[in-house]
Amino acid sequence: MKKIKFRADITAVTIVIFIVCIVLVSVMLMQFRTVEQTDITEIENMRETELRTALAEWKSKYEELSTQLSEVNERKEEYNQKINDNEATSELIDEELKESNMLVGKTDVYGEGVVVTLADNEERKIEAYDLIDLVNELRYAGAEAISINEVRVLTMSYIADMGDYSYITVNSRRIQGPYIVKAIGDKDYMYSILNLKGSGFVDRSKTLGMNVSSKTENRVEIPKYDEEFEIKYMQEVTAE
């Protein structure tokens, strides 16, 4: 009888342990399922949130870069316009400077014109006044550039007798005969003025016994004024 009771107790304990194991396994499985479901949901939600955030960031960066690109293109067009304007302005300034240098005698020039040659002879010696008279008449006839023995003559130039009339100076350069005077301008008109009967320089000079001749040329070359300009008294007038 005791043996039968012992076995019954063992069987009951075994059943209880089996039930407890089943319960524990069930609880663990439920926990695993919950954790698995929670992790997947959180991961999916996390991925979706991250993707939305990343997409928003890229969209913002794209819009920012697009705006910057538009600004860069606008500045580029503005710079190109300024460059073109500056180039046009620079070309205009260069052209005006070139023309100004030509007018004031700072460049070598050429053009159609006349050449007048004067030389001493037994009857008449060439003096500074004769050259001044010729230069004034050429200017009256419209000469745009004048030189004497390759020395450029400007409005401020001085022509003077030196050394007891032994030689002549033009500006600070000493020159001697024969004196070759060149002038650029309307060659036919200047030639006709110089050779007017009784009043033109050539005709008058010949009457006085001077050795003088004149001719027209299609290309007369005149050198630039090679001395420094010095302005002592002139000043620019400015609006007050």
Side-chain angles (χ1 to χ4, degrees), residues 196-213:
L196 283 173
K197 189 67 174 176
S199 61
F201 176 84
V202 173
D203 190 69
R204 285 186 288 107
S205 298
K206 288 181 177 180
T207 302
L208 296 173
M210 295 171 57
N211 183 6
V212 57
S213 63

Side-chain angles (χ1 to χ4, degrees), residues 84-98:
N84 292 333
D85 292 343
N86 288 338
E87 287 179 352
T89 303
S90 178
E91 290 177 0
L92 180 60
I93 292 174
D94 289 342
E95 188 65 27
E96 291 180 351
L97 180 60
K98 180 180 178 181

Side-chain angles (χ1 to χ4, degrees), residues 75-129:
R75 287 198 296 269
K76 180 181 177 182
E77 289 296 326
E78 183 179 353
Y79 293 154
N80 287 335
Q81 185 64 37
K82 287 183 178 180
I83 289 172
N84 292 333
D85 292 343
N86 288 338
E87 287 179 352
T89 303
S90 178
E91 290 177 0
L92 180 60
I93 292 174
D94 289 342
E95 188 65 27
E96 291 180 351
L97 180 60
K98 180 180 178 181
E99 184 176 348
S100 297
N101 285 333
M102 290 177 65
L103 290 174
V104 299
K106 295 299 290 182
T107 57
D108 298 333
V109 292
Y110 73 92
E112 66 173 71
V114 296
V115 177
V116 181
T117 303
L118 301 91
D120 296 334
N121 59 23
E122 295 180 356
E123 297 183 42
R124 181 70 154 76
K125 181 179 177 64
I126 304 300
E127 299 178 358
Y129 176 80

Side-chain angles (χ1 to χ4, degrees), residues 15 39 80 110 125 166 178 181 226:
I15 291 171
D39 289 343
N80 287 335
Y110 73 92
K125 181 179 177 64
S166 60
V181 181
D226 58 1

Side-chain angles (χ1 to χ4, degrees), residues 4-22:
I4 295 172
K5 185 178 179 180
F6 179 74
R7 288 178 180 174
D9 292 339
I10 291 174
T11 301
V13 171
T14 301
I15 291 171
V16 171
I17 292 172
F18 178 75
I19 292 171
V20 170
C21 288
I22 291 174

